[in-house]
Amino acid sequence: MSPKKKTAKTSIRLVKGMKDILPTEQHIWDFVRSRVESVARDYGFMRIDTPIVEFTQLFKKATGEETDIVSKEMYSFVDQSGDRLSLRPEGTPGVIRAYIEHGMLNQPQPVKMFYIGPQFRHDKPQAGRYRQFWQFGFEAVGDADPIVDAQIIAMNYNILRDLGLDIEVQINSIGDKHCRPKYFKALTQYYKNKKKDLCVDCTKRLLKNPLRLLDCKVKGCQELAEEAPQMVDYLCEDCNKHFTTVLEYLDEAEVKYNLNPKIVRGLDYYTRTTWEIVESNQDGKLQALGGGGRYDELVKLLGGRETPAIGFAMGMERIINKIKEKEVVLPEVWRPDVYLAQLGIEARRKSLKLFMDLRQGGLTVSEDFSKNGLKDQLELANKKNARYVLILGQKELVDGTILIRDMESGVQETVDHKKVVKEVHKRLASKMNDKSLKIKTTKKV
Ligand code: ATP
Ligand code: MG
């Protein structure tokens, strides 16, 4: 094959690191979204949708110029008006920009918001790591009380447990601007004569933000991090009190957690409480399902008033992969009450209107009007798990009737065409009441 031909053949394809979410997977995505929405309602969080595109400056300022996300992974471009824009790599900066821009500090605090949407990072594609991936995230802005930390962590924990996953919280405190400088000094001192054993990135990180060395994924750096000084030993009185109170509340709430001094998170804005969620019984080396933390300085940094805040973000692909892996039992997928089968040109013509009448009569309906044979249509009805099939043929048209076939028992009855909606409802109601015929209510992935 000539090089030219090869290009032509391969140019229309999925971009590396991107992923199609196919119709066959949508029921799992719906399941996750609906659980997230229901927990959000219970805990009083309202949905917010911010744009996918923001000024690059927002992420440089909020996420941090020295983070991997901003320095290496962002999709940035200059648009036709000359504006420097980026596809959002994470949700929090946009939500906080919106909080400030829409004067939400005048509302009762904390303002509790959640989002569900795609994020973009030029990460190295591998299992559970894509360049467009989905996150859901929760933010509580405007309250510094440790009970807010505990409640949001408990909520984070409960969402994943409600999804059928066995998880635990890895938690840490990274202090605040008062106690962190002393810790940075101790860290820098610790790494001073170990520079030659660090990866290239970490030698740079040592100068700009030594905290970043603790979550480096290179094996040698991880080994060094094991022995590094821990922030919890350097917390000032206020930060220490805040952290111990959060842990006490979590004990009360029976949230499973482990103290992990290396949970420093890959974003610059965190203060005090930080956490990640991992599967239980794993050694922590596994990819996290998500993480969060307090960020008491971000609102001010982005031009707002000094406002404490806390939030988390969870990776949906990683959660969905776990749901598939563990074969979590999902609620029943959509199934039609009736499947409308038609035989002959005249019946097909009448089916369009009948289909609308069935829908308007409150029934869920399905069809494959382009098919001719009854056998084909019955097979499709079976595949779609329809409860009843309505069969409209030439004879029924002439008689003003229609056939109802119960797909579980195979019993067929002729009913008056005009009363068909009522007849189906009657049968559905008696089926629901009949325990012996109770239909399956769950389905494995
Ligand atoms: P990692 O250390 O795995 O790169 P991270 O610290 O960069 O994760 P966060 O910014 O904390 O990730 O994002 C929260 C969650 O979003 C992650 O725990 C993960 O589930 C998900 N996530 C992050 N990057 C990706 C990606 N490239 N593909 C899929 N999911 C991702
Ligand atoms: Mg990352």
Side-chain angles (χ1 to χ4, degrees), residues 334 336 338-341 355 364-369 384 386:
W334 181 87
V338 280
Y339 180 97
L340 180 54
F355 188 90
T364 53
V365 210
S366 181
E367 53 80 18
D368 292 281
F369 290 159
K384 293 176 182 177

PDB file of all heavy atoms in Angstrom, residues 334 336 338-341 355 364-369 384 386:
ATOM      1  N   TRP A 334     -34.428  -0.448  30.685  1.00  0.00           N
ATOM      2  CA  TRP A 334     -35.720  -0.127  30.089  1.00  0.00           C
ATOM      3  C   TRP A 334     -36.260  -1.315  29.304  1.00  0.00           C
ATOM      4  O   TRP A 334     -35.526  -1.973  28.576  1.00  0.00           O
ATOM      5  CB  TRP A 334     -35.547   1.080  29.150  1.00  0.00           C
ATOM      6  CG  TRP A 334     -36.820   1.519  28.503  1.00  0.00           C
ATOM      7  CD1 TRP A 334     -37.716   2.389  29.016  1.00  0.00           C
ATOM      8  CD2 TRP A 334     -37.335   1.105  27.229  1.00  0.00           C
ATOM      9  NE1 TRP A 334     -38.758   2.553  28.153  1.00  0.00           N
ATOM     10  CE2 TRP A 334     -38.553   1.778  27.040  1.00  0.00           C
ATOM     11  CE3 TRP A 334     -36.886   0.236  26.226  1.00  0.00           C
ATOM     12  CZ2 TRP A 334     -39.331   1.621  25.901  1.00  0.00           C
ATOM     13  CZ3 TRP A 334     -37.660   0.065  25.097  1.00  0.00           C
ATOM     14  CH2 TRP A 334     -38.868   0.757  24.947  1.00  0.00           C
ATOM     15  N   PRO A 336     -39.880  -2.521  26.970  1.00  0.00           N
ATOM     16  CA  PRO A 336     -41.183  -2.056  26.492  1.00  0.00           C
ATOM     17  C   PRO A 336     -42.340  -2.868  27.079  1.00  0.00           C
ATOM     18  O   PRO A 336     -42.212  -4.078  27.277  1.00  0.00           O
ATOM     19  CB  PRO A 336     -41.107  -2.253  24.977  1.00  0.00           C
ATOM     20  CG  PRO A 336     -39.992  -3.200  24.740  1.00  0.00           C
ATOM     21  CD  PRO A 336     -39.094  -3.214  25.933  1.00  0.00           C
ATOM     22  N   VAL A 338     -45.182  -3.015  25.380  1.00  0.00           N
ATOM     23  CA  VAL A 338     -45.682  -3.693  24.178  1.00  0.00           C
ATOM     24  C   VAL A 338     -44.770  -3.494  22.977  1.00  0.00           C
ATOM     25  O   VAL A 338     -44.121  -2.459  22.821  1.00  0.00           O
ATOM     26  CB  VAL A 338     -47.094  -3.190  23.756  1.00  0.00           C
ATOM     27  CG1 VAL A 338     -48.168  -3.820  24.565  1.00  0.00           C
ATOM     28  CG2 VAL A 338     -47.181  -1.701  23.753  1.00  0.00           C
ATOM     29  N   TYR A 339     -44.745  -4.518  22.147  1.00  0.00           N
ATOM     30  CA  TYR A 339     -44.037  -4.453  20.867  1.00  0.00           C
ATOM     31  C   TYR A 339     -45.118  -4.571  19.805  1.00  0.00           C
ATOM     32  O   TYR A 339     -45.947  -5.483  19.857  1.00  0.00           O
ATOM     33  CB  TYR A 339     -43.058  -5.615  20.777  1.00  0.00           C
ATOM     34  CG  TYR A 339     -42.272  -5.660  19.495  1.00  0.00           C
ATOM     35  CD1 TYR A 339     -40.987  -5.126  19.426  1.00  0.00           C
ATOM     36  CD2 TYR A 339     -42.815  -6.244  18.337  1.00  0.00           C
ATOM     37  CE1 TYR A 339     -40.264  -5.159  18.237  1.00  0.00           C
ATOM     38  CE2 TYR A 339     -42.097  -6.282  17.159  1.00  0.00           C
ATOM     39  CZ  TYR A 339     -40.822  -5.738  17.114  1.00  0.00           C
ATOM     40  OH  TYR A 339     -40.105  -5.777  15.944  1.00  0.00           O
ATOM     41  N   LEU A 340     -45.115  -3.618  18.879  1.00  0.00           N
ATOM     42  CA  LEU A 340     -46.161  -3.633  17.854  1.00  0.00           C
ATOM     43  C   LEU A 340     -45.654  -4.302  16.576  1.00  0.00           C
ATOM     44  O   LEU A 340     -44.757  -3.784  15.913  1.00  0.00           O
ATOM     45  CB  LEU A 340     -46.617  -2.187  17.578  1.00  0.00           C
ATOM     46  CG  LEU A 340     -47.716  -1.998  16.542  1.00  0.00           C
ATOM     47  CD1 LEU A 340     -48.948  -2.847  16.841  1.00  0.00           C
ATOM     48  CD2 LEU A 340     -48.112  -0.520  16.443  1.00  0.00           C
ATOM     49  N   ALA A 341     -46.225  -5.491  16.264  1.00  0.00           N
ATOM     50  CA  ALA A 341     -45.833  -6.211  15.041  1.00  0.00           C
ATOM     51  C   ALA A 341     -46.943  -6.054  14.006  1.00  0.00           C
ATOM     52  O   ALA A 341     -48.124  -6.054  14.359  1.00  0.00           O
ATOM     53  CB  ALA A 341     -45.631  -7.687  15.364  1.00  0.00           C
ATOM     54  N   PHE A 355     -49.204   3.164  16.957  1.00  0.00           N
ATOM     55  CA  PHE A 355     -48.009   3.330  17.805  1.00  0.00           C
ATOM     56  C   PHE A 355     -48.135   4.594  18.664  1.00  0.00           C
ATOM     57  O   PHE A 355     -47.884   4.594  19.858  1.00  0.00           O
ATOM     58  CB  PHE A 355     -46.756   3.411  16.916  1.00  0.00           C
ATOM     59  CG  PHE A 355     -45.451   3.400  17.672  1.00  0.00           C
ATOM     60  CD1 PHE A 355     -44.808   2.202  17.948  1.00  0.00           C
ATOM     61  CD2 PHE A 355     -44.860   4.582  18.106  1.00  0.00           C
ATOM     62  CE1 PHE A 355     -43.604   2.176  18.654  1.00  0.00           C
ATOM     63  CE2 PHE A 355     -43.661   4.574  18.814  1.00  0.00           C
ATOM     64  CZ  PHE A 355     -43.027   3.364  19.083  1.00  0.00           C
ATOM     65  N   THR A 364     -45.141   1.984  27.266  1.00  0.00           N
ATOM     66  CA  THR A 364     -43.843   2.062  26.581  1.00  0.00           C
ATOM     67  C   THR A 364     -43.908   1.076  25.415  1.00  0.00           C
ATOM     68  O   THR A 364     -44.323  -0.072  25.578  1.00  0.00           O
ATOM     69  CB  THR A 364     -42.676   1.718  27.518  1.00  0.00           C
ATOM     70  OG1 THR A 364     -42.923   0.463  28.137  1.00  0.00           O
ATOM     71  CG2 THR A 364     -42.503   2.782  28.590  1.00  0.00           C
ATOM     72  N   VAL A 365     -43.526   1.565  24.235  1.00  0.00           N
ATOM     73  CA  VAL A 365     -43.756   0.804  23.004  1.00  0.00           C
ATOM     74  C   VAL A 365     -42.466   0.609  22.230  1.00  0.00           C
ATOM     75  O   VAL A 365     -41.540   1.419  22.337  1.00  0.00           O
ATOM     76  CB  VAL A 365     -44.741   1.553  22.067  1.00  0.00           C
ATOM     77  CG1 VAL A 365     -45.542   0.569  21.218  1.00  0.00           C
ATOM     78  CG2 VAL A 365     -45.670   2.464  22.826  1.00  0.00           C
ATOM     79  N   SER A 366     -42.416  -0.439  21.422  1.00  0.00           N
ATOM     80  CA  SER A 366     -41.263  -0.654  20.553  1.00  0.00           C
ATOM     81  C   SER A 366     -41.745  -1.249  19.229  1.00  0.00           C
ATOM     82  O   SER A 366     -42.833  -1.846  19.186  1.00  0.00           O
ATOM     83  CB  SER A 366     -40.286  -1.592  21.257  1.00  0.00           C
ATOM     84  OG  SER A 366     -39.165  -1.780  20.452  1.00  0.00           O
ATOM     85  N   GLU A 367     -40.972  -1.085  18.185  1.00  0.00           N
ATOM     86  CA  GLU A 367     -41.366  -1.601  16.860  1.00  0.00           C
ATOM     87  C   GLU A 367     -40.153  -1.801  15.971  1.00  0.00           C
ATOM     88  O   GLU A 367     -39.083  -1.259  16.261  1.00  0.00           O
ATOM     89  CB  GLU A 367     -42.329  -0.617  16.185  1.00  0.00           C
ATOM     90  CG  GLU A 367     -41.825   0.835  16.107  1.00  0.00           C
ATOM     91  CD  GLU A 367     -40.843   1.150  14.986  1.00  0.00           C
ATOM     92  OE1 GLU A 367     -40.767   0.360  14.031  1.00  0.00           O
ATOM     93  OE2 GLU A 367     -40.149   2.174  15.075  1.00  0.00           O
ATOM     94  N   ASP A 368     -40.349  -2.543  14.886  1.00  0.00           N
ATOM     95  CA  ASP A 368     -39.396  -2.618  13.778  1.00  0.00           C
ATOM     96  C   ASP A 368     -40.232  -2.673  12.508  1.00  0.00           C
ATOM     97  O   ASP A 368     -40.349  -3.719  11.861  1.00  0.00           O
ATOM     98  CB  ASP A 368     -38.511  -3.870  13.900  1.00  0.00           C
ATOM     99  CG  ASP A 368     -37.566  -3.776  15.094  1.00  0.00           C
ATOM    100  OD1 ASP A 368     -36.543  -3.088  14.970  1.00  0.00           O
ATOM    101  OD2 ASP A 368     -37.887  -4.358  16.157  1.00  0.00           O
ATOM    102  N   PHE A 369     -40.849  -1.548  12.175  1.00  0.00           N
ATOM    103  CA  PHE A 369     -41.817  -1.525  11.074  1.00  0.00           C
ATOM    104  C   PHE A 369     -41.229  -1.894   9.720  1.00  0.00           C
ATOM    105  O   PHE A 369     -41.947  -2.252   8.803  1.00  0.00           O
ATOM    106  CB  PHE A 369     -42.480  -0.140  10.978  1.00  0.00           C
ATOM    107  CG  PHE A 369     -43.424   0.169  12.124  1.00  0.00           C
ATOM    108  CD1 PHE A 369     -43.747   1.483  12.428  1.00  0.00           C
ATOM    109  CD2 PHE A 369     -44.003  -0.848  12.871  1.00  0.00           C
ATOM    110  CE1 PHE A 369     -44.619   1.779  13.465  1.00  0.00           C
ATOM    111  CE2 PHE A 369     -44.879  -0.564  13.914  1.00  0.00           C
ATOM    112  CZ  PHE A 369     -45.186   0.755  14.215  1.00  0.00           C
ATOM    113  N   LYS A 384     -35.796  -7.524  22.842  1.00  0.00           N
ATOM    114  CA  LYS A 384     -36.026  -6.266  23.566  1.00  0.00           C
ATOM    115  C   LYS A 384     -36.749  -6.495  24.896  1.00  0.00           C
ATOM    116  O   LYS A 384     -37.065  -5.553  25.599  1.00  0.00           O
ATOM    117  CB  LYS A 384     -36.837  -5.306  22.697  1.00  0.00           C
ATOM    118  CG  LYS A 384     -36.068  -4.824  21.481  1.00  0.00           C
ATOM    119  CD  LYS A 384     -36.916  -3.948  20.596  1.00  0.00           C
ATOM    120  CE  LYS A 384     -36.140  -3.532  19.358  1.00  0.00           C
ATOM    121  NZ  LYS A 384     -36.940  -2.738  18.435  1.00  0.00           N
ATOM    122  N   ALA A 386     -39.791  -7.407  25.505  1.00  0.00           N
ATOM    123  CA  ALA A 386     -41.145  -6.826  25.572  1.00  0.00           C
ATOM    124  C   ALA A 386     -42.065  -7.744  26.381  1.00  0.00           C
ATOM    125  O   ALA A 386     -41.935  -8.963  26.337  1.00  0.00           O
ATOM    126  CB  ALA A 386     -41.707  -6.657  24.170  1.00  0.00           C
TER     127      ALA A 386
END
